[in-house]
Amino acid sequence: MSDGRALWGDYDNDGKLDLLITGMISGNNAGSTILYHNNGGGSFTAVGTPFVQVGYSAGAWGDYDNDGYLDLVLSGMPTGSGDGISQYYHNNANGTFSMTAALAGSWFGSECWGDYNHDGCQDLLQGGRLTMVLYRNTNGTLVNSGISWPGQSYDSYLNAAWADFNNDGEIDIAASVSTSYPNRGRILRNDNGVFNIMQEFPNCAFDCVAWGDYDNDGFLDLAIVGSDTVAGPFAKIYHNDGGTNFTDTGIVLPGVNYSSVAWGDYNNDGRLDLVLGGRVPAATSHAFSAMTGATCLRWSGPRRRNWPMQWSPGVITITMGGSTS
């Protein structure tokens, strides 16, 4: 499976995380979407769903109608189609789902839930090929908010993710921008419902972005991975300098494309670690020459807040395929 997403979520409220996997099936260029129920004890069973079979796909769990059960939004390209599709599904609270409605078609993008207007309902930010749309949740119905994005008319917003990076109570956006040259990453600050460009990262049109406070200073930092026509495959970590600026830490990570990245404290030491996966070009100068794989990065710096930034190549342990560098 490639060009898709793996999404954890307890859809039946039994206290165990279930898994949805969507993407392209290797070898036959067909889209796939499978929901696996967690049986406990480390076993999973595929269950029947009405979910569309898509590749180049994205999705997100979220309770859009506030009934206590996780619903799903799913987008991508159906098998045999040249157009994107996007649909959201209601959790019927009995282990089944029903399609609620279709949204604007999207593929090679992202889906994320967040309450941008503070009305207690989860709104939807959808990034994708040629479009980024913010859907306002009105009593369980998603309606295009009509919000326009800053930049040039030919800018294409792709992958995006919510986060309140400056701790002002408003959720902001990190987005990948294509078709404007050079391609770039962009931080959009939410100024009372109007999104303005706060900072740009040239040559950093990313496949995936993850927010996480790796140095425990109270401000969310940014990890991005992807590939650019100028920079090639890359993986970068930007430090949040108090909500006013992001600085490239300069740490050398293996560049990956068709990629994803996530933060998590895998060893329970109180510090966020990083996992990234994707395709590593054979011509890479990095010690790893494998074409695909996953890399685990352990942050070995201090766990206390307000500690000076001390990133250097020597404080990250990179493990892949059982070897350490």
Side-chain angles (χ1 to χ4, degrees), residues 15 21 93 111 126 133 162 181 184 188 268 290 307 310 319:
I21 299 178
E111 308 283 352
Q126 180 187 81
V133 180
W162 297 110
Y181 190 82
R184 65 200 68 193
L188 303 179
N268 295 321
W307 192 278
Q310 295 188 6
T319 304

Side-chain angles (χ1 to χ4, degrees), residues 130-325:
L130 303 180
T131 184
M132 184 169 76
V133 180
L134 175 53
Y135 291 95
R136 184 179 63 252
N137 187 338
T138 304
N139 298 320
T141 300
L142 298 180
V143 179
N144 191 327
S145 67
I147 288 178
S148 58
W149 308 108
Q152 303 298 320
S153 60
Y154 47 78
D155 283 349
S156 174
Y157 283 85
L158 304 176
N159 295 286
W162 297 110
D164 181 11
F165 72 83
N166 55 359
N167 296 337
D168 67 350
E170 305 286 346
I171 51 176
D172 313 291
I173 299 172
S176 177
V177 185
S178 182
T179 70
S180 58
Y181 190 82
N183 294 338
R184 65 200 68 193
R186 187 173 283 172
I187 302 294
L188 303 179
R189 186 182 60 240
N190 184 346
D191 296 323
N192 297 316
V194 177
F195 292 89
N196 295 304
I197 299 173
M198 195 278 286
Q199 188 172 346
E200 291 190 331
F201 311 128
N203 302 324
C204 285
F206 46 78
D207 293 336
C208 187
V209 55
W211 294 96
D213 182 12
Y214 76 82
D215 58 350
N216 292 339
D217 67 350
F219 288 91
L220 290 171
D221 309 298
L222 191 63
I224 62 175
V225 292
S227 182
D228 192 84
T229 54
V230 175
F234 65 85
K236 294 178 179 288
I237 298 175
Y238 287 88
H239 182 260
N240 185 337
D241 303 328
T244 59
N245 185 70
F246 288 84
T247 302
D248 189 344
T249 63
I251 190 69
V252 177
L253 305 176
V256 288
N257 54 24
Y258 299 100
S259 48
S260 60
V261 62
W263 296 100
D265 183 10
Y266 83 93
N267 55 356
N268 295 321
D269 67 351
R271 296 168 291 191
L272 287 179
D273 309 297
L274 187 70
V275 61
L276 60 90
R279 183 176 299 171
V280 182
T284 179
S285 61
H286 195 272
F288 305 127
S289 59
M291 284 297 292
T292 60
T295 298
C296 181
L297 307 162
R298 187 176 71 245
W299 164 238
S300 302
R303 75 178 68 183
R304 298 193 296 273
R305 292 181 182 272
N306 303 319
W307 192 278
M309 213 172 83
Q310 295 188 6
W311 280 102
S312 70
V315 299
I316 293 254
T317 299
I318 303 176
T319 304
M320 186 173 182
S323 61
T324 299
S325 171

Side-chain angles (χ1 to χ4, degrees), residues 11-12 67 69-71 89-98:
Y11 76 89
D12 57 350
D67 67 351
Y69 285 86
L70 289 178
D71 310 298
Y89 299 85
H90 180 255
N91 187 330
N92 299 320
N94 59 4
T96 68
F97 292 81
S98 301

